Amino acid sequence: MNKLNLPAILGGTPIRSIPLPRYNMIGAEEKAAVMDVLDSGELSGFVASAGPEFHGGKQVQALEKAFCEKFGSLHAISVNSATSGLHCALAAMGIGPGDEVLVPPYTMSASATTVLFTGAVPIFVDVEDSYFCIDPEKVEQAITARTKGIVAVNLFGQSANLNALRKIADEHDLFLVEDNAQAPGALHHEKFTGTIGDAGVFSFNRHKTMQSGEGGVVLTNDGDLALRMRLMRNHGEVVVGAMNISNIVNTVGLNYRMTEMEAAVARIQVSRLDALNAPRIALANRLTEGLQTLDGIMPPQIAEGNSHVYYFYPLLFDASQTALSREQFCKSVEAEGFTLRAGYVKPLYLEPLYQQKICFGREGFPFSANTANRNLAYEKGICPVVEDLAENRLMVTNITYPPLTISDMDDFVEACRRVLAHAEDIIDAGIT
């Protein structure tokens, strides 16, 4: 056996010997913006009463204006997280107990739990095999008299089939909300993701392409939805009287307000979005170029009319072409100094929340709200594509970010090639 090319998991020298760097795109502009806020002494401009300060401070309003200008939307509502944004968007649609919302099961948990926060329930719909987003054909099959809307998650950096989902939503009088936390700046048939649904939610969480620690923004072209989201954001129950709002459904508010420092950083980050996405795309393209020559590894597929901004880099694994299991392969590549996850998340409906139907209170509201909710089927097998991806085929890595380089991408490809070349040795060594 050639010791020079021996995989690290079998005792060889790892291809990468130093830890992967953190993603950090905070620069001088963001630091200066934060110092301006600190010097002003106003760290939050919100007041929970009718008047100009109900809408937040200088930095919050500047961020919302910048989002409208960047994405061509009429309204932007800043919030303290994308989870809060999803809750605001769904509540603004007027849903409640007895209603159902169609959601994908392969996503961060909040894409579904925010439906529960309104008293409605999520109905999980399987995803497309090659693109991992909610499948429009299966959405249409899942619509019932109780269905009120669709949540589409633009996963890993690529759009769901939003045009098809928009058509279905319009034909059945449903709302469409985009969870766009992972795909800011991506395009779907020349339109920005986050602008095709009735509302689109963006994230500034510490892991995201645009960062301000926490925070989010919701875009919409509907003035009534925008107002209702602002009420949810800032204790709406105490201002609806003074603002002469007669329809007070779902206007009991929370404190979902963004601070001035977060808004200041987020405003600079959105102005740099194209520059933040460009290196991710270049690094991902290099990975694709190298990985497409390897048997058993399928790089990301991009749907016609889409662009991809690679928050994550997803791959499909075919064990029949490699002799290794997916878990053996990922473990061996990670030993070479890179990250490679077997699967993404557990299909959400397999979590205890849905298996036991326990949410709010001992009786499990909203699952206890009516017979239909009590009889919801969340058992294993309802979304076979997702389960196959999670258990057997999907892998994800998050290495497509600066300061990693083209050379680092080539090293990742070499790590994969080295592991595949020694598949029999890894199996013989009992690596599991």
Side-chain angles (χ1 to χ4, degrees):
M1 190 179 296
N2 186 341
K3 295 290 186 181
L4 291 177
N5 292 319
L6 191 66
I9 203 163
L10 297 179
T13 302
I15 288 175
R16 184 181 182 87
S17 59
I18 59 175
L20 292 166
R22 288 181 177 272
Y23 175 66
N24 181 4
M25 299 299 285
I26 301 299
E29 288 183 273
E30 288 87 353
K31 293 175 184 177
V34 168
M35 289 309 301
D36 285 344
V37 172
L38 290 173
D39 289 343
S40 75
E42 185 173 271
L43 305 188
S44 175
F46 279 102
V47 173
S49 60
E53 291 177 313
F54 177 73
H55 299 287
K58 173 183 173 182
Q59 295 297 331
V60 159
Q61 295 188 42
L63 169 64
E64 293 175 351
K65 180 180 178 182
F67 249 83
C68 290
E69 292 174 349
K70 171 64 178 176
F71 294 101
S73 293
L74 296 180
H75 306 280
I77 302 90
S78 64
V79 284
N80 59 7
S81 73
T83 298
S84 302
L86 284 166
H87 187 197
C88 288
L90 290 163
M93 303 301 168
I95 57 174
D99 295 334
E100 297 177 353
V101 179
L102 307 182
V103 303
Y106 218 35
T107 175
M108 191 267 187
S109 63
S111 306
T113 56
T114 47
V115 175
L116 295 170
F117 294 156
T118 70
V121 291
I123 303 298
F124 293 102
V125 178
D126 215 343
V127 302
E128 295 179 302
D129 182 72
S130 297
Y131 311 120
F132 320 125
C133 297
I134 195 167
D135 187 331
E137 290 186 9
K138 293 170 184 173
V139 163
E140 195 141 34
Q141 296 167 9
I143 294 170
T144 71
R146 295 182 294 275
T147 307
K148 294 298 185 288
I150 306 163
V151 173
V153 179
N154 302 320
L155 196 66
F156 300 145
Q158 178 173 203
S159 169
N161 192 343
L162 293 171
N163 283 356
L165 294 168
R166 178 77 275 172
K167 182 179 179 182
I168 292 168
D170 292 343
E171 288 176 349
H172 293 272
D173 194 25
L174 307 176
F175 64 77
L176 175 62
V177 169
E178 292 180 64
D179 180 341
N180 197 46
Q182 296 189 8
L187 298 175
H188 180 67
H189 295 276
E190 301 184 351
K191 293 182 180 178
F192 281 117
T193 52
T195 68
I196 298 168
D198 297 287
V201 181
F202 294 71
S203 176
F204 288 93
N205 176 264
R206 61 180 285 248
H207 296 292
K208 298 302 189 295
T209 301
M210 301 184 294
Q211 301 182 7
S212 63
E214 295 290 351
V217 167
V218 188
L219 293 181
T220 184
N221 287 326
D222 186 314
D224 181 63
L225 289 179
L227 173 60
R228 301 182 77 76
M229 283 188 267
R230 291 185 176 110
L231 292 168
M232 171 65 75
R233 171 181 67 179
N234 189 14
H235 304 289
E237 70 281 357
V238 299
V239 300
V240 290
M243 296 174 69
N244 295 315
I245 295 170
S246 57
N247 178 8
I248 65 170
V249 172
N250 292 355
T251 57
V252 175
L254 294 157
N255 182 347
Y256 283 165
R257 306 176 301 206
M258 180 182 271
T259 70
E260 287 289 274
M261 284 192 291
E262 287 174 325
V265 173
R267 179 177 57 82
I268 302 301
Q269 290 273 290
V270 74
S271 74
R272 299 174 55 205
L273 179 56
D274 293 343
L276 296 174
N277 277 331
R280 288 178 174 269
I281 295 168
L283 294 173
N285 288 343
R286 184 65 169 220
L287 276 184
T288 297
E289 181 183 347
L291 291 170
Q292 64 189 0
T293 66
L294 302 182
D295 291 338
I297 309 297
M298 181 184 290
Q301 305 298 297
I302 302 177
E304 182 179 356
N306 277 1
S307 66
H308 205 307
V309 294
Y310 298 102
Y311 171 68
F312 280 151
Y313 185 91
L315 307 96
L316 290 177
F317 185 80
D318 185 349
S320 69
Q321 296 186 47
T322 66
L324 294 169
S325 71
R326 180 187 61 170
E327 284 67 24
Q328 288 172 318
F329 180 77
C330 290
K331 188 174 182 179
S332 299
V333 171
E334 290 211 314
E336 300 294 339
F338 294 95
T339 58
L340 185 62
R341 185 193 307 181
Y344 175 46
V345 295
K346 181 191 294 186
L348 294 183
Y349 55 84
L350 298 179
E351 295 289 356
L353 166 64
Y354 302 102
Q355 291 296 294
Q356 299 179 35
K357 296 181 187 173
I358 294 295
C359 187
F360 299 111
R362 289 185 294 274
E363 300 302 316
F365 182 84
F367 301 116
S368 60
N370 53 56
T371 301
N373 288 9
R374 285 192 293 272
N375 292 335
L376 281 173
Y378 289 131
E379 72 269 11
K380 188 174 174 61
I382 62 173
C383 295
V385 174
V386 156
E387 291 179 23
D388 185 40
L389 290 169
E391 295 169 9
N392 304 306
R393 301 173 57 222
L394 185 72
M395 307 180 295
V396 293
T397 184
N398 65 343
I399 63 170
T400 53
Y401 63 85
L404 292 171
T405 65
I406 292 293
S407 177
D408 294 314
M409 302 304 103
D410 293 344
D411 285 346
F412 179 87
V413 173
E414 180 57 31
C416 294
R417 182 178 289 111
R418 177 185 290 185
V419 168
L420 292 173
H422 289 270
E424 296 296 337
D425 300 321
I426 291 169
I427 293 169
D428 291 344
I431 304 299
T432 59

